Amino acid sequence: MSNQDWPLYPPAFLGILGGGQLGRYFVQAAQDLGYQVCVLDPDPNSPAGQIAQEHLLAQYDDEDALRHMAQLCSAISTEFENVPASTIDFLIQQGVFVAPKSFAVSIAQNRIKEKAFLQSCEALMGIGPVQYACIENKEDIDSVADTLFPGILKTAQLGYDGKGQQTVHYVEELQKAWEVLGKVPCVLEKKLDLAFELSALIARGYDDEVHILPIAQNIHKQGILHLSMVPAPDLNAQLQQHIQVAAQTIIRQLEYVGVLCIEFFVLQDGRLVVNEIAPRPHNSGHHSLDSCLTSQFEQQVRTLAKLPLGNSRLLTPVVMLNILGDIWIDEASSVITPPGWEKILTMPSAKLHLYGKSEPKKGRKMGHINFLAASVDEALEDANKAMVTLGIKPSGK
Ligand code: ADP
Ligand code: MG
């Protein structure tokens, strides 16, 4: 849709590529502001497709579907990291405003490009990516530096929630792991001694206005986000300053409009490094649905409509606990039973979110609970009680 007047006012149609839970919250945030939403996702039961005004059941490279989407929508964003760059470019050619653009998305969806990009920002922001080597052929394996062991071999593309990753300790193991991963392009990262993990969600408007959401401290279990704590208990003023500079540098260097997530590692020796970026809202920002004046999803809507950004100040300490499909499934019998939500719903601090997915699977994100309390410690206590109630194995902090 060309010749559009900006900012875009409701009830205009906004489009979203991808229909997962991130898309579902985008739809809700857009509808809260009076917009209509069109979702493109091939899954007929997709969480976002279920609630959007229009659900286009098509593949991401279906030109007829994309043409229709571009006709209907005044602006389109993405919730799905692996949307082909050509899809975004095709929509732009149709005259529709798409944010973020394929330049940024294609960097974020390929670890080799992503690492090179982060290295190129290092001089500007004073911190860089994890030490790494590209592994694309046998010669790369043979010439790998010993200092990268023990390391984590990660596929350059299509990895998420720790999938497509193998820990390796020496060259022969690296060779085997690369074969197991299908000899696709990979990066080998040094396995670092992490003290803790942080993430920043940053929104940038078309006019270069930026806003950073409160930084989250994250705990992962088996490569999957387990819980996020805000305010981040181990964050100090100096780390906060470094993260703010890094986040602004990265989003501007990417010429990015929309909401971007940047994951950081803090090492045992106190050093800060950038882990990875995601070109969309992020699981570690789900707390903002209940804890911030403006959620990450509302920021995404505002950037897309070319409206001013909101203020995402924290209204209350919060702990977000992820709910995976594992707790539906009885280990011994494989029988599926829904968890007893009553015990969670009666907790005074708990706000339950479920994504409308009908098929629980191990490791599949089914929902999350935000615990809102007077302090992160109190919220954490309640999260621990809920874990016992639901049979979620507690971890670390
Ligand atoms: P994904 O794309 O699946 O989120 P990540 O690269 O973020 O992949 O890895 C998932 C988690 O695995 C991280 O949040 C961290 O806990 C752990 N991890 C990843 N890379 C390293 C590393 N180089 N050293 C130590 N831990 C790591
Ligand atoms: Mg990650």
Side-chain angles (χ1 to χ4, degrees):
M1 203 182 258
S2 44
N3 305 322
Q4 180 65 57
D5 280 338
W6 299 97
L8 203 62
Y9 289 127
F13 256 98
L14 302 177
I16 188 91
L17 300 166
Q21 59 269 20
L22 298 171
R24 185 177 173 98
Y25 287 114
F26 172 86
V27 174
Q28 290 178 352
Q31 291 176 343
D32 271 353
L33 287 173
Y35 294 100
Q36 305 181 76
V37 184
C38 172
V39 170
L40 175 67
D41 189 304
D43 174 4
N45 294 316
S46 79
Q50 289 170 22
I51 63 165
Q53 273 84 1
E54 190 157 327
H55 180 186
L56 282 174
L57 271 175
Q59 299 298 328
Y60 296 104
D61 58 358
D62 181 328
E63 294 195 353
D64 287 337
L66 294 175
R67 249 183 238 111
H68 174 78
M69 198 177 189
Q71 268 295 314
L72 180 68
C73 301
S74 307
I76 299 174
S77 189
T78 172
E79 67 101 49
F80 171 56
E81 193 154 332
N82 292 310
V83 166
S86 54
T87 296
I88 294 176
D89 293 336
F90 184 84
L91 288 168
I92 291 172
Q93 278 160 22
Q94 305 299 304
V96 67
F97 174 62
V98 184
K101 300 225 183 298
S102 56
F103 165 67
V105 173
S106 61
I107 289 174
Q109 64 190 197
N110 183 311
R111 290 189 200 275
I112 293 176
K113 287 190 188 175
E114 181 181 58
K115 297 272 191 243
F117 166 76
L118 291 172
Q119 271 186 330
S120 76
C121 295
E122 190 162 351
L124 289 169
M125 59 189 188
I127 59 169
V130 179
Q131 192 190 333
Y132 78 102
C134 296
I135 304 292
E136 297 182 85
N137 52 45
K138 178 89 175 72
E139 290 73 57
D140 291 339
I141 292 179
D142 292 339
S143 60
V144 95
D146 275 349
T147 51
L148 285 172
F149 292 113
I152 305 179
L153 185 67
K154 303 180 179 182
T155 56
Q157 282 181 290
L158 302 175
Y160 69 100
D161 287 346
K163 293 188 177 69
Q165 300 193 8
Q166 301 248 346
T167 301
V168 292
H169 300 85
Y170 44 88
V171 174
E172 292 75 17
E173 211 180 358
L174 170 62
Q175 171 71 38
K176 280 213 183 82
W178 188 58
E179 283 164 18
V180 169
L181 293 175
K183 295 190 179 178
V184 292
C186 288
V187 296
L188 175 66
E189 282 180 17
K190 187 176 175 60
K191 187 167 189 192
L192 301 171
D193 228 349
L194 309 187
F196 52 95
E197 297 186 51
L198 300 168
S199 61
L201 281 143
I202 177 165
R204 179 167 177 265
Y206 75 102
D207 57 353
D208 197 36
E209 183 190 3
V210 294
H211 188 87
I212 304 179
L213 273 75
I215 292 163
Q217 185 164 332
N218 305 315
I219 298 177
H220 291 78
K221 274 202 308 196
Q222 278 137 23
I224 306 179
L225 183 64
H226 171 50
L227 57 82
S228 298
M229 301 171 277
V230 193
D234 295 315
L235 183 69
N236 59 39
Q238 198 191 9
L239 275 175
Q240 172 143 351
Q241 170 69 13
H242 279 147
I243 287 176
Q244 280 170 347
V245 169
Q248 292 183 38
T249 305
I250 288 171
I251 205 163
R252 291 204 163 109
Q253 291 297 311
L254 283 173
E255 298 164 22
Y256 190 99
V257 173
V259 173
L260 176 76
C261 179
I262 309 168
E263 296 181 13
F264 297 89
F265 293 151
V266 180
L267 310 188
Q268 290 291 352
D269 64 11
R271 255 188 320 134
L272 179 70
V273 294
V274 189
N275 172 27
E276 61 170 354
I277 58 179
R280 48 173 173 75
H282 191 259
N283 196 170
S284 64
H286 284 4
H287 68 87
S288 66
L289 285 163
D290 301 309
S291 66
C292 293
L293 189 59
T294 310
S295 76
Q296 59 172 348
F297 303 102
E298 183 176 334
Q299 299 287 25
Q300 189 184 19
V301 171
R302 289 178 184 232
T303 58
L304 200 55
K306 299 191 183 175
L307 289 167
L309 300 181
N311 187 312
S312 282
R313 71 189 155 84
L314 195 66
L315 304 172
T316 164
V318 60
V319 167
M320 190 253 8
L321 172 69
N322 259 347
I323 306 291
L324 304 182
D326 304 51
I327 61 169
W328 271 250
I329 304 166
D330 182 89
E331 287 253 356
S333 66
S334 301
V335 170
I336 290 181
T337 326
W341 298 122
E342 296 81 350
K343 292 195 184 117
I344 302 301
L345 293 167
T346 46
M347 291 177 76
S349 63
K351 179 81 181 159
L352 175 66
H353 295 258
L354 294 169
Y355 306 148
K357 296 182 182 175
S358 51
E359 226 185 307
K361 286 186 199 155
K362 282 201 160 182
R364 187 173 200 202
K365 291 173 179 169
M366 300 295 286
H368 66 271
I369 309 170
N370 286 335
F371 296 91
L372 313 170
S375 66
V376 163
D377 279 346
E378 269 180 46
L380 217 41
E381 251 175 57
D382 285 354
N384 281 321
K385 281 186 208 149
M387 283 188 244
V388 173
T389 304
L390 293 170
I392 299 173
K393 289 181 199 99
S395 87
K397 189 140 188 153

